[in-house]
Each structure stands twice: as structure tokens, then as C-alpha cells.
């Protein structure tokens, strides 16, 4: 009798332990960022990576199907045809949708059109939503001069899941895996769709981004990418290549398109059209500061404010922020108040970055939904494109706003002057 | 011999059972034939049809029929532990599902070989996940059959699960991510049949979308399998306890 009880107790305890372990493992939250994630360089893995890039750049033609997906059950499939010196065709479709978007660059112009009516794009403003949508196409300058195909797709905002690997690498572009690379290491071998692959791990921007690449041992071309972005949320995306064909003739119709006679060209609004316009009041906010406590925009009334929206995942922000700190230090009273705004980073990563760069100007570090909504809706940054700059006058009204580094120093000076400052030298 | 008889009974107890198997297998073939799906698409179809609907169909009234007819009084007087009756019946269902899924795999592989279209890379994982889901749903339905009259166990389970997931889905959409909805989702995720966890396991989420490559993903997949087997065991224990404690009367239900 006691043997039976003992056996039952043992079984119950073992079961409880096993279930406890299982719940602990399946219920574990996504792994957060820590310094140990930064990859140290391994020369053998570097050779694999360089060989892959070289193979891509040496190819005359390349075509493949790229299936991009994320754990939220979203997927987009891209059919990509690339031909040197500067032609490409890209068709993509979202899972379960019938509408496909087609981008085609014939070396002279970039054409974008759709099966059926034009969908709502990321660039659309309230006014442009009313524009006719049937039988329209977009014509832009060719990317042959050096644009990013990946960014062009992302800018449309119609793909559920964007590309991880920028096909522009084929034409000699640096690609997203180079900027801010910490190191590469090997992660053994694996098989993708029956293809034997070497797996490498690439750490970028101090392990904010980690990318695993499966490189075929047969043709040295990639077969799968897995990108992990540790921002405010941990985001995983997978891109898988199939039907990879190198140097085979690409059907001419894939690389040439001319609009049918009854189609009209439609010019999309620019990204800056969505931003707050000069004279509009800058929406006030009270959000968490990089230091402890809250930071309120209206506390800076009476001073000219340079609102700088940044995150550590943007190489441009990483490069620029030291310059702002220098200006802040050199002109503490005469210059504008630099006010950072970051709502897309893990707080630990962002604070470490500010410490490393000795940034002392005030900055919002708040990844709450309210902060994200404020930026996307109230401040008009629908695409979350960074960096974003706003010059705000002492009365709290917007004087000017722009994305990225302003190439025209006169525009910055004019904005600062209009806001009430007089700077003799360009700020760049 | 007793075990064999009890397991065999789960297949021969009603004529409609083999018809269900044939119809379900035909459905897999038709789905493949018509839609030429990739493995994940076919996997989703198989997961729901064989993992959820098949156990409901096969376990409808598995005890309820015997209780209603009064036959249960004869069975429980036989000289063996009442729990065996439950275990062998569940094992019978599980074995039927295993054979059923092997046949489904064979049908798909044959169609794939003939038509040379679609992909079957992850079919094995989908079949395993489907079998695990079948077992948990079959255990839950069998346990319900002891307390719910006739064949209403399956209907009740169907209504409860569909309504539960629908309401939680609606609340999550309506309220967004909040501590209260997160708690509700956790409540649905762990003690209920592990639809989400096994779906993620089969879809390769713990491998394909894992945060690293290697050991971590294997541990997550293994944890899903363990959790699903544990749930089957818990549902079965509840069923055995109910069966052992219930006093069956000779008066028909």
C-alpha cells in the first residue's frame, strides 16, 4: 500500500516538476538586451560573409523569391529580378491578399503600379486619399544612381513584412548589414529547404540588431535571414529565399514596363507633407525623461527648442547626436535648447548610448503607447522615420520640421532666425 | 486482451466512426488537390480538422452512450480498476488518431509526388503537433463524457472552446494589450487545450522565430510537447477520478 502511495507521490512530483519547467520555458518573456549579446569577430565567419557579398556583386543577373514573415502570422512574398547595370523588377504580395505591388526600374525611371486600384500608402495625406486610385502609377527617378530598393519598398508602406536584406547590395550598395557592425561569428551548419548552409551571426549597433544568415555552401548565396531588433519591443523577422537563379536570362517583360494609354501618373505627397507645418502649435507632452522624472515641452516656453527625435537603431542619429551635444555645450544660453525624443528604444540601450556619448542635453526616453502615438499622429511621423527635427519658437509654435540631416544649412539658419535666434555659422 | 478489446471498442462502437475517418481523409486530399498548399497552409488545415474536430467526432458519447443505455453498470462491475476503462479508451482514440495521421501524411506525400507541387518540408512536425492536440482534446472530451449526457460532451466542448476564444479575441481587439487582457490570455493559453502553443511549435516559431539559433529553440519546442502531454494527463486524471467516484444507477439516464 505504502509502495503504491510512494509511486503515486513520485509520479505527481515528477509531473509537477516537468510542468513547472515547461511553463517556465514557454512562458519566458523575450530575452532582453544585455552586453554579452555583442558578437566578437571571428575571421572564418567574416570570410563567409565577404564571399557572400562578393558573389552577389559579381553576378550579372539574379532572381529569387523572398518570403518574409514574422511571428504575428503576417507574411509578404517578393519576387525579385535583378540585372546589372541597374535594372530590377520586384513584385510583392501580402499573405491572403490578391493585390500585388510592382516596382520596376529600367535604368532610366522607377515605375510603381498595382493590380487593381492603388492602395493607401504610407505617404498618403488626408487630401491625397481623395485622389483617383484607378489606373494610376508612380514614376520616380531611377535608383541606378544609388538608392535603396529596400527603403523604397518600406516607404510605400503596403508590405506587411519588409525585406531584411537590401537587394541593392547586388549593385554595390553597402546594404543594411554593414552599418554599425560589431562583429560576425559562425553558428555551425544547418539545412534550409534541403540546401546545406553555413550559419553566421552578425551583431549590429551594439547588439541592438542581431542578424543570422544562412549561406549556401554550394553557391555562397544566402537562403535565410533572421533579424532580431531589440527596440522597445523585441521584434523578430525572417526572410527566406527560394528559386535562387544566378546569371540566367531574365525575361525582358520583367524588367520593362510602359503605362497603358488610359493610365495616369500620380505624384505621391512627400514625407514632409505629413509633418506639422510652420505656425502650427507643437503639441505639448509630459513624458519620462532620460534622467529620472518627467519632461514637459511647455517648460521650455520662452526658449527656442530644437526637438530631435532619435533612436539608437539609426546610424544617422548615432553619428549626429555628438554634434548636438557639442553645440549644447558650446552655446548653453545663446543657442536653442536641444530636446531629444526617443520612444522606440529599450530604455537600457538608450541610456547606455547616452552615457557612452556623454550626452547631457535633456531627452525624452519613453516607449509608452502615448509617446508613440504622440510622435506618429500628433507630430506627423507616420512612418517612424528618423531622425526627425522640429524647430519650435518661444511661443511653442513650429517654425520648421524635416527628416534626416538637413542638407541645406541655410534652411536651418533661417528657421532658427525666424524662431528668434541669430546664428552666424551653419550648425552643420 | 482486455486492453485490446477496450481499445478496439473505440473504433467499432459506432458505424459512423469509420465514415468520419474516410470523410476526413478525403477532405485532406481534396484540400491539397484544390489549393496546392505549402506545408504550413496544409498544416493549419490538418491541425484544426484532425487536432480539434476529429477528437470531438470520435469521442462523442464515448462514455455518455454507455451511461445512457445502462451498459456502464455492467462494465464497471468487471474485476479491473475503473481507471483502466478510461485509459484504454483514450489510448484507443489516440491510436486511431496516430493511424489516421499517418494515412493523412501518406495521402499528401502521394499527391505531392504525383503533382510535384507544393512543399512538404515540415509535414512531420505538423503531424506531431496535430496528434498532441488530438490527445488533449480527446482527453478533455472523454472526461466531459462522464458527466455530460449522451453525445453532448463534444457539442459542449465545441461551444465552450469556440465561444471562449471568440470572446477573448474580441476583448483583446477591443481593449488592446492591458494587464487584464494579458492575464485573460494567459488563462486561456495554459490550462485550456494548447492550440496556440502547439500551433507555434508546429509553425516553427520556437525555431524559426526564436531569439537565437540552437539550444534555446529546442528547449521551447520540448516544453510545448511536455506541457501538452501534461495537460492530457491532468484531463485524464480528472476523468478517472470522476469515473471512479460516480455511482452508476441501473435506471437509464
Amino acid at each position: 500500500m505504502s509502495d503504491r502511495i510512494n509511486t503515486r507521490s513520485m509520479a505527481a512530483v515528477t509531473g509537477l516538476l516537468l510542468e513547472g519547467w515547461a511553463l517556465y520555458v514557454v512562458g519566458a518573456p523575450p530575452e532582453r538586451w544585455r552586453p554579452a549579446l555583442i558578437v566578437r569577430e571571428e575571421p572564418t565567419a567574416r570570410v563567409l560573409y565577404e564571399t557572400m557579398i562578393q558573389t552577389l556583386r559579381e553576378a550579372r543577373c539574379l532572381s529569387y523569391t523572398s518570403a518574409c514573415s514574422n511571428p504575428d502570422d503576417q507574411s509578404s512574398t517578393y519576387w525579385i529580378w535583378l540585372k546589372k547595370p541597374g535594372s530590377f523588377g520586384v513584385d510583392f504580395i501580402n499573405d491572403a491578399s490578391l493585390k500585388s505591388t510592382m516596382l520596376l526600374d529600367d535604368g532610366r525611371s522607377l515605375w510603381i503600379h498595382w493590380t487593381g486600384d492603388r492602395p493607401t500608402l504610407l505617404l498618403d495625406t488626408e487630401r491625397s486619399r481623395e485622389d483617383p486610385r484607378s489606373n494610376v502609377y508612380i514614376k520616380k527617378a531611377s535608383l541606378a544612381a544609388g538608392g535603396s530598393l529596400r527603403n523604397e519598398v518600406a516607404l510605400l508602406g503596403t508590405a506587411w513584412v519588409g525585406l531584411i536584406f537590401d537587394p541593392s547590395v547586388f549593385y554595390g550598395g553597402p546594404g543594411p548589414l554593414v552599418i554599425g557592425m560589431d562583429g560576425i561569428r559562425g553558428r555551425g551548419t544547418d539545412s534550409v529547404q534541403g540546401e546545406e548552409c553555413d550559419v553566421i551571426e552578425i551583431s549590429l549597433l551594439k547588439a541592438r540588431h542581431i542578424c543570422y544568415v544562412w549561406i549556401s555552401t554550394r553557391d555562397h548565396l544566402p537562403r535565410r535571414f533572421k533579424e532580431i531588433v531589440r527596440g522597445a519591443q523585441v521584434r523578430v523577422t525572417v526572410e527566406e529565399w527560394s528559386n535562387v537563379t544566378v546569371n540566367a536570362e531574365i525575361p525582358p517583360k520583367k524588367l520593362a514596363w510602359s503605362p497603358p494609354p488610359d493610365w495616369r501618373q500620380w505624384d505621391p505627397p512627400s514625407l514632409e507633407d505629413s509633418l506639422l507645418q510652420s505656425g502650427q502649435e507643437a503639441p505639448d507632452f509630459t513624458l519620462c525623461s532620460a534622467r529620472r522624472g518627467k519632461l514637459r515641452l511647455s517648460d521650455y516656453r520662452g526658449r527656442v527648442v530644437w526637438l530631435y527625435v532619435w533612436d539608437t537603431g539609426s546610424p544617422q542619429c548615432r553619428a549626429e547626436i555628438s554634434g548636438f551635444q557639442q553645440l549644447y555645450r558650446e552655446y548653453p544660453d545663446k543657442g536653442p535648447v536641444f530636446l531629444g525624443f526617443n520612444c522606440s528604444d529599450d530604455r537600457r540601450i538608450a541610456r547606455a548610448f547616452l552615457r557612452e556619448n556623454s550626452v547631457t542635453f535633456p531627452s525624452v526616453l519613453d516607449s509608452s503607447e502615448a509617446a508613440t502615438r504622440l510622435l506618429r499622429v500628433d507630430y506627423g511621423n507616420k512612418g517612424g522615420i528618423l531622425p526627425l527635427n522640429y524647430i519650435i519658437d518661444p511661443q511653442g509654435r513650429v517654425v520648421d520640421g524635416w527628416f534626416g540631416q538637413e542638407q541645406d544649412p541655410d534652411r536651418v539658419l533661417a528657421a532658427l532666425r525666424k524662431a528668434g535666434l541669430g546664428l552666424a555659422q551653419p550648425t552643420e | 486482451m482486455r486492453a485490446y478489446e477496450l481499445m478496439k471498442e473505440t473504433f467499432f462502437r459506432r458505424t459512423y466512426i469509420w465514415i468520419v475517418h474516410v470523410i476526413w481523409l478525403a477532405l485532406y486530399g481534396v484540400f491539397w488537390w484544390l489549393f496546392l498548399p505549402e506545408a504550413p497552409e496544409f498544416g493549419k488545415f490538418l491541425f484544426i480538422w484532425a487536432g480539434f474536430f476529429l477528437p470531438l467526432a470520435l469521442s462523442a458519447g464515448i462514455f455518455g452512450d454507455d451511461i445512457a443505455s445502462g451498459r456502464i453498470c455492467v462494465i464497471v462491475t468487471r474485476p479491473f480498476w475503473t481507471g483502466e476503462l478510461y485509459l484504454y479508451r483514450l489510448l484507443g482514440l489516440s491510436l486511431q488518431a496516430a493511424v489516421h495521421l499517418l494515412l493523412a501524411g501518406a495521402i499528401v506525400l502521394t499527391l505531392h509526388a504525383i503533382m510535384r507541387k507544393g512543399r512538404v518540408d515540415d509535414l512531420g512536425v505538423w503531424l506531431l503537433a496535430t496528434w498532441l492536440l488530438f490527445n488533449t482534446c480527446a482527453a478533455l472530451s472523454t472526461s466531459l463524457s462522464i458527466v455530460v449526457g449522451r453525445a453532448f460532451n463534444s457539442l459542449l466542448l465545441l461551444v465552450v472552446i469556440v465561444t471562449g476564444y471568440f470572446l477573448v479575441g474580441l476583448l483583446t481587439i477591443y481593449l488592446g494589450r492591458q494587464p487584464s487582457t494579458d492575464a485573460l490570455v494567459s488563462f486561456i493559453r495554459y490550462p485550456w487545450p494548447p492550440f496556440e502553443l502547439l500551433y507555434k511549435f508546429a509553425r516553427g516559431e520556437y525555431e524559426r522565430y526564436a531569439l537565437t539559433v540552437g539550444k534555446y529553440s529546442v528547449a521551447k519546442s520540448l516544453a510545448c510537447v511536455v506541457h501538452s502531454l501534461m495537460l492530457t494527463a491532468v484531463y485524464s486524471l480528472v476523468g478517472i477520478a470522476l469515473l471512479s467516484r460516480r455511482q452508476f444507477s441501473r435506471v437509464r439516464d
Side-chain angles (χ1 to χ4, degrees), chain B residues 83-128:
Chain B
E84 282 184 57
L85 184 62
Y86 183 101
L87 283 179
Y88 289 130
R89 283 197 170 175
L90 183 62
L91 200 59
L93 289 177
S94 183
L95 282 176
Q96 275 187 62
V99 174
H100 177 98
L101 290 170
L102 287 175
L103 285 173
I107 288 171
V108 167
L109 288 176
T110 310
L111 285 172
H112 175 70
I114 295 169
M115 297 162 85
R116 295 185 183 280
K117 284 181 180 173
R119 271 165 50 193
V120 287
D121 303 354
D122 302 327
L123 189 64
V125 188
W126 278 105
L127 289 174
L128 175 64

Side-chain angles (χ1 to χ4, degrees), chain A residues 317-337:
Chain A
C317 295
R318 294 178 82 96
E320 269 182 355
I321 211 152
S322 306
F324 283 114
Q325 174 59 26
Q326 199 180 340
L327 284 172
Y328 177 73
R329 212 172 30 235
E330 284 176 14
Y331 305 100
D333 301 318
K334 291 180 187 171
V337 175

Side-chain angles (χ1 to χ4, degrees), chain A residues 67-82:
Chain A
C68 299
S69 58
N70 62 29
D72 299 329
D73 248 354
Q74 292 183 317
S75 65
S76 301
T77 306
Y78 299 78
W79 291 268
I80 299 174
W81 300 271
L82 308 166

Side-chain angles (χ1 to χ4, degrees), chain A residues 218-280:
Chain A
R218 187 173 53 85
D219 58 16
H220 308 295
L221 288 173
R223 288 298 185 275
R224 184 190 284 166
F225 298 89
K226 175 155 77 173
E227 185 185 50
I228 298 158
V229 179
R230 288 181 169 84
Q233 306 285 332
V234 180
R235 193 164 46 81
V236 184
T237 315
V238 172
E239 176 178 347
E240 195 157 312
W241 286 19
S242 55
N243 307 322
V244 181
T245 314
V246 191
N247 293 336
E249 212 48 54
I250 295 174
K253 66 174 182 183
K254 300 288 181 195
L255 303 171
W257 187 78
S258 56
D262 55 337
W263 283 43
R264 289 181 309 280
Q265 183 175 334
W266 176 73
D267 295 318
S270 79
L271 267 176
E272 292 190 5
D273 289 344
S274 309
L275 295 181
L276 293 172
Q277 299 301 306
S278 176
Q280 276 186 279

Side-chain angles (χ1 to χ4, degrees), chain A residues 5-319:
Chain A
I5 290 171
N6 280 341
T7 314
R8 282 185 182 178
S9 309
M10 286 286 285
V13 169
T14 312
L16 278 174
L17 285 174
L18 270 174
E19 179 62 4
W21 169 80
L23 287 179
Y24 170 75
V25 173
V26 294
E31 193 183 12
R32 306 306 298 181
W33 178 87
R34 53 200 160 81
L37 293 170
I38 300 170
V39 168
R40 286 196 185 152
E41 183 80 9
E42 280 178 13
T44 46
R46 169 68 70 171
V47 169
L48 287 171
Y49 174 78
E50 298 291 354
T51 311
M52 176 186 83
I53 297 293
Q54 197 181 341
T55 310
L56 279 164
R57 288 187 178 152
E58 282 175 358
R60 189 170 40 81
C61 300
L62 176 67
S63 62
Y64 59 93
T65 307
S66 166
C68 299
S69 58
N70 62 29
D72 299 329
D73 248 354
Q74 292 183 317
S75 65
S76 301
T77 306
Y78 299 78
W79 291 268
I80 299 174
W81 300 271
L82 308 166
K83 186 178 179 181
K84 288 196 173 83
S87 320
F88 68 77
V90 176
D91 290 3
F92 68 86
I93 192 163
N94 292 322
D95 183 32
S97 162
L98 295 174
K99 189 183 287 293
S100 91
T101 303
M102 285 154 268
L103 286 89
L104 192 141
D105 196 323
D106 52 18
R108 294 182 300 276
S109 304
L110 169 66
W111 308 84
I112 304 169
H113 59 106
W114 293 268
T115 50
D117 291 355
R118 173 181 74 80
T120 302
L121 305 181
L122 183 68
L123 296 164
D124 264 314
T125 56
E126 275 184 31
R127 192 190 295 171
S128 70
R129 283 200 189 112
E130 306 301 320
D131 292 346
R133 294 183 177 224
S134 299
N135 300 343
V136 293
Y137 62 91
I138 298 174
K139 187 180 176 187
K140 299 171 83 169
S142 166
L143 296 185
S148 161
L149 177 50
R150 179 182 185 249
N151 289 352
E152 206 59 50
V153 171
L155 203 58
L156 290 172
T158 50
W160 285 352
V161 188
L163 291 162
I164 296 173
F165 188 76
D166 193 341
S168 304
V169 172
F170 174 80
Y171 303 104
L177 301 181
V178 177
I179 301 160
M181 189 189 285
D182 307 317
I184 308 178
R185 69 172 165 178
R187 296 302 301 261
T189 56
D190 192 11
S191 165
V192 176
Q193 296 166 33
E195 189 95 38
E196 202 55 38
C197 294
D198 290 309
V199 187
I200 58 169
E201 180 181 2
I202 305 171
S203 155
L204 306 142
L205 305 167
K206 301 277 173 71
R208 189 188 189 274
H209 295 204
I210 298 274
C211 190
Y212 296 94
V213 188
W214 281 252
I215 303 169
S216 165
T217 52
R218 187 173 53 85
D219 58 16
H220 308 295
L221 288 173
R223 288 298 185 275
R224 184 190 284 166
F225 298 89
K226 175 155 77 173
E227 185 185 50
I228 298 158
V229 179
R230 288 181 169 84
Q233 306 285 332
V234 180
R235 193 164 46 81
V236 184
T237 315
V238 172
E239 176 178 347
E240 195 157 312
W241 286 19
S242 55
N243 307 322
V244 181
T245 314
V246 191
N247 293 336
E249 212 48 54
I250 295 174
K253 66 174 182 183
K254 300 288 181 195
L255 303 171
W257 187 78
S258 56
D262 55 337
W263 283 43
R264 289 181 309 280
Q265 183 175 334
W266 176 73
D267 295 318
S270 79
L271 267 176
E272 292 190 5
D273 289 344
S274 309
L275 295 181
L276 293 172
Q277 299 301 306
S278 176
Q280 276 186 279
E281 184 143 349
D284 194 17
F285 54 79
T286 307
L287 296 167
C288 294
S289 164
R291 298 169 200 151
R292 286 196 177 83
K294 297 278 181 185
L295 201 149
R296 188 163 43 203
L297 177 66
S298 53
D299 285 348
Y300 297 93
R301 286 275 159 88
R303 301 276 316 261
V304 175
V305 174
W306 188 322
L307 185 69
Y308 183 67
V309 186
W310 64 281
D311 83 359
T312 57
S314 154
Q316 206 179 341
C317 295
R318 294 178 82 96

Side-chain angles (χ1 to χ4, degrees), chain A residues 369-392:
Chain A
E369 216 173 304
T372 310
R373 200 181 319 117
L374 179 92
L375 178 67
R376 300 259 171 152
V377 181
D378 299 345
Y379 278 86
N381 189 4
K382 288 188 295 188
I385 292 162
L386 300 175
L388 166 65
N389 301 269
Y390 272 113
I391 304 291
I392 300 166

